[in-house]
Amino acid sequence: MQEIGVGLIGYGLGGKVFHAAFITRTAGMRLRAVVSRDPAKVHHDHPEVAVVPHVDELLTRPDIDLVVVASPDELHAGHALAALAAGKHVVVDKPFATSLADARRVVEAAERSGKMLTIHHNRRWDADFLTLQDLIASGRLGRIVHFESRFDRWRPEPGATWKEARAGGSWLDLGPHLVDQALVLFGMPTAVTADLAVLRDGAPAPDWFEVILHYEAMRVTLHSSKLAADHRLRFAVHGTTGTWLKHGIDPQEPAIVGGAIPGGAVWGHDPDHGRLTSGQNSDKPEYIANRNGDYGLFWRQLVAAIHGEGANPVPAEDAIQVMTVIQAGLDSAQLRRTVDLVADPV
């Protein structure tokens, strides 16, 4: 199987932790070049990798087959379009783009080019989310009536970074993860109601959101706050026969930040078991052990897909649906009303 040469645009948290750490440990891939203004930072982790100052220089390299876009959000669409025009396969970090229109432009360009386009919605492979999928499929919760998914933080002081000031705030940062997981479980909603707010003193963009996805006989609540001192609640899932509560976050990101190497039998082990309470036996809750999470599955599936031996791990159509909900949330918050995805297509 021919080795896939990879070029990475950007070496911030995303490029370092979620991309390079896994690319360099995925059979069939080789990280060959990184676009960065800080060569020392890249070479500290990957001394054998070339560092180039400009995207154009990366795209002209014949040894690059796949480009991973981990640049600031507003550059995602432009970098993806340039990579596709150069005949490269493309991975785009979330958010796919800063607007639904730009996301559609990238998908159309990929269709014309015949190259693979995929979006890095890595939290499909969180330990607790994999466990939840199994639990729902088992029928032990009955029909889901309310699904609550939260990414809360305790960051009372706004940081002086572009991420804090991004248009759409945390809805564009954390929202894509929560939306993608909800769509994997339940498909597209019929309507979206969103409230975005700035709650921290001096914050330049929304740092709190509460978004409701409307389904027939079910509601999905997506929530995030950066002023939650107790921020351990991750999922609260209520069904007609039981409730599952999960606290704690998937351990893979903090493990890599702390210097761990992805892989091995215990990689992605989440010790915070979810609590299942049966409606018929509410005084005897059951603790459900988590499956191991594995962000490396995205990359292994991508290798197979590029070689025509498997499906795209996150098809562009899925990412367009995520962006449709993200855009509807922005519109809903601005208009202060529910946006109907059937009557008000965005």
Side-chain angles (χ1 to χ4, degrees), residues 65-285:
D65 309 294
L66 170 69
V67 171
V68 180
V69 178
S71 47
D73 299 355
E74 68 272 12
L75 302 177
H76 282 187
H79 285 160
L81 288 168
L84 290 166
K88 315 296 186 183
H89 303 292
V90 175
V91 175
V92 184
D93 206 348
K94 63 82 199 165
F96 185 5
T98 54
S99 73
L100 179 58
D102 279 348
R104 286 174 170 158
R105 286 173 55 221
V106 176
V107 171
E108 291 167 0
E111 291 171 349
R112 290 192 301 269
S113 73
K115 295 299 180 179
M116 181 160 295
L117 170 67
T118 189
I119 315 306
H120 190 245
H121 284 303
N122 61 300
R123 291 196 176 273
R124 293 186 179 195
W125 292 275
D126 277 357
D128 47 19
F129 185 65
L130 294 171
T131 304
L132 174 58
Q133 287 179 285
D134 289 346
L135 185 59
I136 291 175
S138 75
R140 298 188 67 186
L141 293 172
R143 179 176 62 82
I144 306 302
V145 296
H146 183 209
F147 174 83
E148 182 178 356
S149 180
R150 308 174 69 97
F151 270 154
D152 290 331
R153 301 285 189 270
W154 177 245
R155 294 176 182 169
E157 300 295 330
T161 67
W162 67 266
K163 290 186 177 184
E164 289 280 6
R166 59 168 26 116
S170 55
W171 177 235
L172 264 292
D173 179 20
L174 300 174
H177 285 314
L178 302 185
V179 170
D180 182 64
Q181 288 183 335
L183 299 193
V184 167
L185 293 175
F186 308 116
M188 282 292 284
T190 59
V192 177
T193 306
D195 184 11
L196 313 183
V198 178
L199 299 186
R200 296 176 299 171
D201 293 338
D207 53 16
W208 179 97
F209 63 78
E210 181 106 340
V211 178
I212 298 173
L213 308 186
H214 300 249
Y215 296 83
E216 184 177 357
M218 182 181 69
R219 293 294 182 267
V220 167
T221 303
L222 309 178
H223 177 86
S224 180
S225 172
K226 293 186 178 180
L227 277 175
D230 183 343
H231 52 266
R232 285 182 41 76
L233 181 61
R234 177 67 183 88
F235 291 109
V237 186
H238 305 284
T240 55
T241 60
T243 290
W244 183 73
L245 298 179
K246 173 63 173 65
H247 292 78
I249 195 74
D250 180 274
Q252 294 175 83
E253 176 182 349
I256 301 171
V257 171
I261 297 174
V266 299
W267 177 258
H269 171 65
D270 183 348
D272 289 317
H273 297 170
R275 186 179 72 195
L276 174 64
T277 301
S278 168
Q280 294 182 336
N281 245 336
S282 59
D283 58 338
K284 294 182 179 179

